[in-house]
Amino acid sequence: MYSQGLIGAKTDSGEDQAFLDAFQRRIDAEEKIEPNDPMPEGYRRTLIRQIGQHAHSEIVGMLPEGNWITRAPSLRRKAALLAKVQDEGGHGLYLYSAAETLGVSREQMTEELLSGKAKYSSIFNYPTLTWADIGAIGWLVDGAAIMNQIPLCRCSYGPYARAMIRVCKEESFHQRQGYEIMLTLCRGTDAQKEMAQDALNRWWWPSLMMFGPHDSDSQHGDQSMRWKIKRFTNDELRQQFVDATIPQAEFIGLTVPDPELKWNEERGHYDFGAIDWDEFWRVVKGGGPLNTERLEARQKAWDEGAWVREAALAHAEKRKLRREAARVAAE
Amino acid sequence: MEDRSALVTFLLRLADDHLILGHRLSEWCGHAPMLEEDLAMPNIALDLIGQARALYQYAGGVEGKGRSEDDLAYLRRERDYLNCLMVERPNGDFAHTMLRQFYFAAFMHPFWEKAMESQDAMLAGIAGKAVKEVAYHIRHCGEWVIRLGDGTEESTARMQAALTALAPYVDELFESDAVTAAMAEAGIAPSPASLRAPFEATVQSVFAEAFLDAPAAPWAKTGGRQGLHSEAMGFLLAELQYMQRSYPGANW
Amino acid sequence: MTKHEIPLWEVFIRPRNGLAHKHCGSVHAADEVMAVHAARDVYTRRGEGVSIWVVPSAAIVASDPEQKDENFEPSISKVYRHPTFYEVPEEVGHM
């Protein structure tokens, strides 16, 4: 999911075989790699890209939900949603911090996001049209994210794994918050229940797409698995998500919009219908409902914040000079 | 009974101030000048919304008509909201938002300090928690007022513009009427006038460090406490109340 | 926009008195006061701490991972530094 952007990434780096083998032995022995350790350039590049994309997803992910903070239907919901969206910002921040240990700055990563060079999770290009979408995002999108993030807590790169541990600890309230919204709607009026079903209809397939292309179509999965940047394949995680989510939908009386969905006794898993990969690629490449608006919003915040950041730096410079002058005067 | 209705009015004014300002501040979430501020501003907004909730719950109880915090927050008409005009001002730029927040915090801090000794145990309890929260708001927003006031040419100009824009709204914070007089007399809350000196002290110390001069307001705007708001208020409430108005009686 | 980036600070939090400050991540801030604010707003939203340290990331001096073996392996063989190296009869009790 956060490796959607690795599509097309180069992972070969041209170090000699002995170096690569020695590195692989460390990985195989479950040793954590720390910032200054020698590492293959491909490993570093893959991580920068993946962590950067993960961070961007958190930041862009603030927008669809942020859209409803001012319209949340009760004070309790308003506070929870605000805290949740703030958390997403915090998670983006932890992740940028982790990427910065690899020698890339947050500014560089931000510029890559704004120029369209760096990707973010395709899901955030869909609109939040009703309050139920806030429930659906928490339940499905955060649910999918947790599936992906729990194994990342054991990722081979120490700072990424540590950031993920923190993220997972905090995220545990997000999915529950979303499910509780859905549950309340489903126990409410007909109009509320209809709203919940409509949100599930719209968010179900994009949520499955979050896990990325089928393993057979994913070029970089293998190397990332070997390096233990990834611990499960896209399809494994997607299946896990479907298996966990169906009973939750049934419990609140919602129907997953997939006529082919059925329990497969033999496999011990749910079978589900085909994902519309044309839609997936269209959204990844910029043609989703709100790709343009999401980047415009980030660009606007960045541009309009420039004078604030410059003022903070200018003031810091003045403080330093004044302190220096005071010190000289005191001597 | 007379006292009770004054207390309800007083609590609603206070609660509305916090809700409306928290609502305004939450509009920034996801759009701040830097990521660190995308965490800082919601922290302040959450404090304000938390204070509003405590005050609405208490007001509903005192009123005794069975109105919940959400009934009070979402289901009154515009003319029934009693917040001061400063808090409903559109956010403007970051300088404007920080200065507005700083003014409000500089006013609320001495208020809560005195309210901790209120004859009203409930209010004293709310004050004990709020006073710490608002002390941080003063610090955080005050530091930004200093940085923007004494930053670049552009930031100084923007901060000056914010000072000019907000100047007419400061006096309303200190307005007295029969309600505030009744509260002061009963030892429930400090009289607004008594908060002017500590407010000025806080403001002056930050402005001095920021090399800013507060312009004298040519006139003061007023009316919020009687439910006479700016045009911006109706749009704010349209957004705030959208769900509750569209689905009357539903649970969320 | 490499011209002027907002500096990075490492953040250390003391979870409660009696425990040491522990590294928990980093923040960007133009100066030390705002760095403490940012650390407070980012890393203590769930009551994680009672004290914060921030240090400019650039001020941290680290040992060289290439010298890991020469730095740290020599100490591993010095087993006599550990209490379990010494035999004390059980009757003597805890020592």
Side-chain angles (χ1 to χ4, degrees), chain A residues 99-115:
Chain A
E100 283 176 287
T101 64
L102 291 159
V104 60
S105 72
R106 192 197 290 174
E107 277 87 346
Q108 280 170 291
M109 288 184 276
T110 303
E111 272 166 16
E112 292 198 349
L113 169 69
L114 297 179
S115 73

Side-chain angles (χ1 to χ4, degrees), chain B residues 19 63 80 98 101-102 176 180 188 198:
Chain B
L19 172 66
E63 188 192 46
D80 301 325
M98 282 296 118
Q101 198 67 48
F102 173 66
S176 294
T180 61
I188 293 174

Side-chain angles (χ1 to χ4, degrees), chain A residues 60-71 81-82 85 128 134 137, chain B residues 26-27 29-31 239:
Chain A
V60 177
M62 296 173 82
L63 300 170
E65 289 178 281
N67 192 27
W68 277 87
I69 292 172
T70 53
R71 289 178 291 171
L81 182 60
L82 181 54
V85 178
T128 48
I134 299 307
I137 289 184
Chain B
S26 76
E27 292 172 8
C29 188
H31 308 278
E239 240 179 286

Side-chain angles (χ1 to χ4, degrees), chain C residues 32-52:
Chain C
E32 70 288 351
V33 175
M34 295 317 267
V36 171
H37 284 210
R40 179 260 188 198
D41 282 320
V42 173
Y43 290 103
T44 68
R45 283 173 293 134
R46 288 173 168 80
E48 292 94 332
V50 295
S51 166
I52 296 170

Side-chain angles (χ1 to χ4, degrees), chain B residues 1 4-5 8 59-68 71-72:
Chain B
M1 211 56 218
R4 274 182 108 67
S5 87
V8 171
V62 175
E63 188 192 46
K65 293 182 189 163
R67 289 204 283 181
S68 69
D71 292 338
L72 291 169

Side-chain angles (χ1 to χ4, degrees), chain A residues 307 315 318 322, chain B residues 95-96 98-100 102-103 141-164 166 200 202-216:
Chain A
W307 70 271
H315 181 81
K318 291 182 189 177
R322 278 180 208 139
Chain B
H96 190 280
M98 282 296 118
L99 182 64
R100 181 185 62 191
F102 173 66
Y103 275 147
C141 302
E143 293 291 355
W144 271 116
V145 170
I146 291 167
R147 275 150 190 76
L148 300 179
D150 182 28
T152 61
E153 213 173 293
E154 180 177 5
S155 73
T156 305
R158 283 175 180 270
M159 191 44 87
Q160 279 299 350
L163 280 166
T164 307
L166 286 171
E200 293 295 345
T202 305
V203 168
Q204 285 320 317
S205 75
V206 163
F207 283 6
E209 221 182 308
F211 302 106
L212 289 169
D213 292 315

Side-chain angles (χ1 to χ4, degrees), chain A residues 253-277:
Chain A
L254 293 179
T255 310
V256 171
D258 179 357
E260 291 173 51
L261 184 94
K262 63 170 185 301
W263 177 252
N264 183 326
E265 194 64 55
E266 203 177 308
R267 288 204 308 129
H269 291 293
Y270 283 95
D271 289 337
F272 52 94
I275 290 168
D276 180 353
W277 292 111

